[in-house]
Amino acid sequence: MHQGDKIAPSKRDSQPRVSGALVYRQSLWTRATHWIWAICLFFLLLSGLQIFNARPNLYIGKQSGFAFDNSVLSMTAVNTPGGRRGVTTILGHEFDTTGVFGVSGTAEKPQVRGFPAALTIPSYRDLATGRVIHFFFAWLLVVTLFVWFTASLVNGHLCRDLRPTRGDLARLPQDIADHARFRFHHTGRYNVLQKLSYGIVFFVLFPVIVLTGLTMSPGLDAAWPWLLDLFGGRQTARTIHFVVMTLLVLFFLVHITMVLAAGPINELRSMVTGWYRTDPESNDGPAQ
Amino acid sequence: MNKPILTRRQLIRLGALGASSVVLSGCDAFDLLGNRSSSVRDIVAKANDVTYYVQRFLIGDALAREYPESEIRQPQKPNGSTNPQTPEYLALKAADFSDYRLSVSGLVETPKSYSLSELRNMPSRTQITRHDCVEGWSCIAKWTGTPLSVVLDEVKLRPSARYIVFHCYDSLGSGRAGPAFYYESCDLADARHPQTILAYGLNDQVLPVSNGAPIRVRIERQLGYKQPKYIRAIEAVSTFEDIGRGRGGYWEDRGYEWYAGI
């Protein structure tokens, strides 16, 4: 089955509003794995913040500095005459984050914790459960990535849809300009910014977040000691894990914004049913 | 044709509304997973068995990384119980552990007990390793002690022995049946691993009370809660059923996974 090859006649051709053909753009593999990732990343993020809260500090190096300072981020609570204040320190710069980071909850019942209850699973402090949930969805994510990669290699999704061509790269400045103006071209194929951002997510962010997660495992460190050298020690790996998480959240926000701006019904339909309505001028799918 | 009660568009809107309400209501929607006797939690926790088998397959006999002397940049951070107050321990400490005996029993051919000087006169191993706390921090220190395998070879495990249990003098709280003493356990692969030692020395000094005097266990390929301090006795068993709440360790009984290699 080749995406983009199947074209169904538009049901709306007779209607006054002109729209292009429906093309089959997303294979079942792509759609199924996409939604499993959505669920995985939701639970991984919120259970990960629960785990982070057990030690709301990030360090650079092989160990955490207690008698020396190698901290790059901390979320703490300090006592002031006016009550508890939340203080977040990033690379030596202090920010008052009362109510959000360090101290959250209500004024009557302030809670000392890194991330607030609304951002952690479970909502209360429970590292054991956070870990149980995190590792379950970590396995699910890795298995789904493997399934997606194999299927995409076999059905051509990787080479046909995700690999940027020379023509794509030449169109990059134009594509950036179009996106900046929220002007979208609905074709059977991904545009170059999509290809690049999906490529970075799949071939940089996902592998790095999985490998840095494994570097935090004392068992895997014994099996694969090169992990420690690759990421500069267990604590640096933990910091990179957190940074990549932030980048994935950023990707998610941009992704949702783009779906909303490009027409959420059409975009969602293609990710649910596989069928995507193209612009009238590009009935043949790939406008290349 | 009748108008559909729910159009596709409405359905999508409804779905989005439902999804956002779950997110906005905070995550107490998933607090049920914290319930230790929930069957959903049991299913989710099965992933830990996968981790155990995959890691055992991948790791084999590999050693945990050992670091150069220059990486010892700070004292070993004490954590958990740091000054046990049980009468037996206070009495031992008052006599500088001269009366201490480490009993080794259970599914063994010849049960034995060891004084501190006997342990110190046995073959020893010194290693500079990284202690990884389940909370997320790490600390590098030099540990010296008797390899557990030396002791196990002396008492000779029976074929039915599957796990080694470490009973401790410290308690982190009390239950209905009195103080809940700390305990831990490991399988024979970890028990016989060359880096698994009964440590009596830390950073070239006698192991201090805050870090587990007179004896603590080091199981270097697992997290900090698998490194029990203030060891009272070692027992070879075939199951955890009759110990604590039956899950193989103090924290395991409270929801943490038994295999702490991650």
Side-chain angles (χ1 to χ4, degrees):
Chain A
M1 203 152 50
H2 291 281
Q3 294 144 267
D5 289 348
K6 270 202 261 175
I7 297 174
S10 171
K11 289 174 199 153
R12 294 186 183 172
D13 277 354
S14 54
Q15 290 172 5
R17 196 176 140 242
V18 184
S19 57
L22 271 176
V23 297
Y24 189 70
R25 186 157 102 148
Q26 308 291 1
S27 78
L28 182 62
W29 294 105
T30 308
R31 288 178 278 138
T33 50
H34 172 269
W35 292 114
I36 296 173
W37 288 325
I39 295 166
C40 284
L41 292 176
F42 173 82
F43 282 100
L44 281 167
L45 172 66
L46 301 183
S47 60
L49 297 182
Q50 166 77 246
I51 296 170
F52 173 85
N53 273 358
R55 184 82 205 171
N57 299 69
L58 295 176
Y59 311 87
I60 295 293
K62 303 174 178 75
Q63 57 184 322
S64 317
F66 302 109
F68 59 95
D69 185 18
N70 62 344
S71 168
V72 288
L73 173 83
S74 78
M75 292 177 180
T76 51
V78 291
N79 287 316
T80 68
R84 281 200 158 128
R85 309 294 300 162
V87 177
T88 301
T89 309
I90 305 170
L91 298 169
H93 301 280
E94 274 189 16
F95 302 93
D96 186 321
T97 51
T98 310
V100 190
F101 305 131
V103 174
S104 46
T106 58
E108 297 82 47
K109 276 181 102 181
Q111 287 185 308
V112 174
R113 48 189 296 156
F115 285 94
L119 290 180
T120 64
I121 296 180
S123 60
Y124 52 89
R125 189 181 180 130
D126 184 353
L127 173 61
T129 304
R131 283 168 55 83
V132 162
I133 297 170
H134 204 70
F135 299 146
F136 175 83
F137 285 101
W139 272 115
L140 191 57
L141 177 83
V142 168
V143 169
T144 313
L145 272 175
F146 183 77
V147 167
W148 173 84
F149 186 79
T150 311
S152 301
L153 205 63
V154 171
N155 69 20
H157 182 49
L158 274 187
C159 297
R160 190 187 53 242
D161 303 323
L162 285 170
R163 189 182 56 185
T165 62
R166 205 167 286 184
D168 280 332
L169 294 175
R171 267 197 305 278
L172 187 57
Q174 182 62 45
D175 207 36
I176 293 172
D178 284 349
H179 274 82
R181 288 186 215 122
F182 282 142
R183 276 178 49 193
F184 298 100
H185 306 288
H186 303 96
T187 72
R189 296 289 156 89
Y190 294 149
N191 59 62
V192 60
L193 280 183
Q194 277 181 297
K195 288 184 181 184
L196 290 178
S197 55
Y198 297 158
I200 287 169
V201 166
F202 284 112
F203 297 103
V204 181
L205 299 187
F206 279 166
V208 170
I209 208 157
V210 169
L211 289 175
T212 50
L214 293 176
T215 313
M216 281 184 261
S217 150
L220 255 293
D221 282 348
W224 297 342
W226 50 266
L227 282 172
L228 288 165
D229 302 317
L230 183 63
F231 295 113
R234 181 181 192 253
Q235 290 301 319
T236 310
R238 186 166 174 264
T239 301
I240 297 172
H241 197 71
F242 190 90
V243 169
V244 175
M245 174 276 288
T246 314
L247 294 176
L248 284 171
V249 170
L250 215 63
F251 167 80
F252 170 77
L253 294 176
V254 174
H255 188 57
I256 296 298
T257 308
M258 289 295 131
V259 167
L260 292 176
I265 304 291
N266 193 26
E267 300 289 331
L268 265 176
R269 175 184 41 220
S270 79
M271 226 1 125
V272 173
T273 67
W275 292 93
Y276 186 77
R277 186 173 299 286
T278 57
D279 289 337
E281 70 271 20
S282 57
N283 276 358
D284 54 348
Q288 304 188 27
Chain B
M1 207 176 85
N2 286 334
K3 253 179 116 178
I5 297 166
L6 203 61
T7 64
R8 191 163 50 190
R9 217 165 271 231
Q10 283 172 326
L11 193 71
I12 290 168
R13 277 210 198 103
L14 218 74
L17 205 72
S20 59
S21 70
V22 167
V23 175
L24 291 177
S25 71
C27 295
D28 24 357
F30 303 103
D31 282 358
L32 63 110
L33 284 161
N35 181 357
R36 303 298 193 256
S37 52
S38 139
S39 56
V40 184
R41 186 198 171 89
D42 287 345
I43 294 166
V44 174
K46 284 271 184 286
N48 291 325
D49 298 343
V50 180
T51 306
Y52 172 71
Y53 289 112
V54 170
Q55 286 211 1
R56 275 282 175 266
F57 172 74
L58 287 176
I59 301 172
D61 299 329
L63 297 182
R65 171 157 292 185
E66 297 191 17
Y67 293 86
E69 202 89 35
S70 60
E71 292 292 351
I72 305 172
R73 299 173 65 192
Q74 56 191 351
Q76 171 66 28
K77 179 184 163 68
N79 199 40
S81 53
T82 52
N83 195 9
Q85 294 299 311
T86 51
E88 308 95 306
Y89 186 79
L90 289 174
L92 283 175
K93 187 169 79 170
D96 204 18
F97 302 108
S98 54
D99 304 328
Y100 174 80
R101 307 290 296 183
L102 173 69
S103 91
V104 186
S105 62
L107 299 171
V108 300
E109 299 291 342
T110 48
K112 279 189 174 184
S113 81
Y114 297 87
S115 70
L116 264 185
S117 56
E118 280 172 324
L119 285 169
R120 285 183 183 133
N121 284 328
M122 289 165 81
S124 75
R125 190 180 204 282
T126 295
Q127 58 206 26
I128 300 173
T129 50
R130 198 189 64 228
H131 179 99
D132 296 329
C133 180
V134 69
E135 293 164 5
W137 55 265
S138 309
C139 193
I140 292 174
K142 182 196 275 189
W143 302 96
T144 303
T146 314
L148 179 58
S149 63
V150 172
V151 171
L152 296 182
D153 286 344
E154 278 198 9
V155 298
K156 291 192 191 67
L157 290 180
R158 293 209 178 125
S160 53
R162 289 185 62 203
Y163 306 103
I164 303 299
V165 178
F166 309 98
H167 299 278
C168 305
Y169 281 110
D170 61 318
S171 69
L172 288 171
S174 39
R176 262 165 285 166
F181 289 101
Y182 201 88
Y183 76 101
E184 255 308 335
S185 62
C186 66
D187 62 10
L188 296 185
D190 268 325
R192 293 202 177 277
H193 186 259
Q195 283 172 323
T196 298
I197 59 173
L198 303 169
Y200 46 72
L202 170 60
N203 292 335
D204 297 319
Q205 306 287 318
V206 171
L207 184 69
V209 166
S210 59
N211 294 108
I215 297 286
R216 86 174 295 172
V217 178
R218 297 297 308 170
I219 298 174
E220 300 292 358
R221 301 180 301 176
Q222 297 200 46
L223 296 175
Y225 68 87
K226 300 299 284 192
Q227 333 287 332
K229 302 191 273 193
Y230 318 109
I231 303 300
R232 176 170 59 80
I234 293 176
E235 186 186 5
V237 300
S238 59
T239 137
F240 304 136
E241 258 167 45
D242 302 329
I243 307 157
R245 297 182 202 162
R247 290 175 179 265
Y250 178 89
W251 287 113
E252 288 85 330
D253 285 343
R254 287 152 186 80
Y256 285 82
E257 59 274 28
W258 174 74
Y259 177 68
I262 190 164

